[in-house]
Structure formats: structure tokens, C-alpha cells
Amino acid sequence: MPLLQQELAPNPEETLANYVRRVRMSLGLSQKELAGRAGVHLQSVGKIERGQTTRLKQAPKSGLAYALGVPVEYLDAVCKGVAVEAIASLKFCPRCWVPGTPPDPMWTTTRSKYCFACSSALCDRCPDCHKPVESLKFRFCPYCGQSYKK
Ligand SMILES: [Zn+2]
Ligand SMILES: [Zn+2]
């Protein structure tokens, strides 16, 4: 059963360390697997989960968000210790997004509605069955099997 976005949202008061560990475990990934998917060093994941890293640079942050299947805004929220008020949605440009690659953080920002590069309207749901996009690690909609990008 696909995980719901809400389950993956950070809890109030949750630290970056606890959050990353919780989502990683819920996905059944080892630290090494997470590091591999996120394109960061295993040591970096260890430091994050031990609470030694509390701020993330842009590149590891988007890598981790992608590997964990959560919006970058969730990681921003736990780093800053603020609640995720407006739930950021996974959005992608139907023209520029390359399926199987992390969405550009400029698309997943809650305020974004149009692509910064080609000004297409961003998609946050399956073009066929209109279920929300669960994870852009998928190339296909888990509900109806259609490709997210035509
Ligand atoms: Zn575009
Ligand atoms: Zn669908």
C-alpha cells in the first residue's frame, strides 16, 4: 500500500535527526541505501541521524527529499523547527521534468504554479485519474499505471 503524504509529514517538535530516521525506516531503507539514493555520503546520513547536522545545503537537501519521497519543504520545516503549515505538494513541469529524476525545488515550492523555465502550468496530480502525485520517484501513477509525463 502506498504511504500517504500525511504520514511522511514531520510531526511538530520532530528534529531533523528523528524525522530522517523515521521516514527512512518507514521506507525500509538502510542508511547506506538512503545515502546511495540521495547521492550523499553515508557519513553525512549518519551525522544527520545522530543530530550532528542540523542544517542542510541545497544539493544534499534536495537529494534527501527525493530519496525519502518528501517535499523539500518538509526538510526545511524540520531544520528550522517550524510546523509544516501549508502542506507542500509534489509538483512537476509536464514539459521539463525528466521522469525518474528529482523534481526541481522551484516546482515543489508551495507558491509555485507555473514552471520557471517554460511557464507551463505545473502538475500535482495524475493527468489520467487525478490522484495526487505520491512520489516523483515513480515514473508512473501507482493508482492507474499511466505515465506521469506524456
Ligand atoms: Zn517547464
Ligand atoms: Zn493515475
Side-chain angles (χ1 to χ4, degrees):
M1 217 174 84
L3 285 163
L4 297 171
Q5 281 292 317
Q6 290 89 309
E7 295 174 34
L8 294 177
N11 299 319
E13 320 276 307
E14 197 166 31
T15 61
L16 177 67
N18 291 338
Y19 178 61
V20 169
R21 190 182 309 115
R22 179 168 66 85
V23 179
R24 176 176 63 76
M25 305 280 260
S26 79
L27 297 172
L29 296 175
S30 67
Q31 286 192 352
K32 195 175 172 187
E33 287 166 328
L34 175 65
R37 288 191 189 193
V40 299
H41 287 294
L42 175 57
Q43 279 186 329
S44 310
V45 173
K47 279 175 85 174
I48 291 168
E49 293 199 3
R50 284 194 301 275
Q52 291 167 300
T53 302
T54 50
R55 278 157 201 260
L56 296 169
K57 294 205 177 90
Q58 196 59 47
K61 189 166 62 185
S62 43
L64 273 176
Y66 165 69
L68 295 170
V70 300
V72 173
E73 281 82 359
Y74 285 5
L75 293 178
D76 279 334
V78 281
C79 288
K80 290 179 195 148
V82 297
V84 179
E85 299 285 39
I87 301 286
S89 56
L90 286 173
K91 286 183 296 227
F92 62 94
C93 171
R95 285 178 64 187
C96 304
W97 178 55
V98 179
T101 64
D104 193 291
M106 291 186 66
W107 297 330
T108 52
T109 308
T110 32
R111 289 178 299 275
S112 294
K113 290 196 170 58
Y114 300 95
C115 176
F116 58 91
C118 73
S119 72
S120 297
L122 298 174
C123 293
D124 66 350
R125 49 199 59 241
C126 170
D128 283 288
C129 69
H130 305 290
K131 293 266 204 266
V133 174
E134 295 244 335
S135 167
L136 289 179
K137 283 183 295 185
F138 302 141
R139 290 154 187 261
F140 304 97
C141 173
Y143 296 102
C144 70
Q146 287 297 315
S147 175
Y148 279 142
K149 187 174 171 179
K150 296 287 167 191

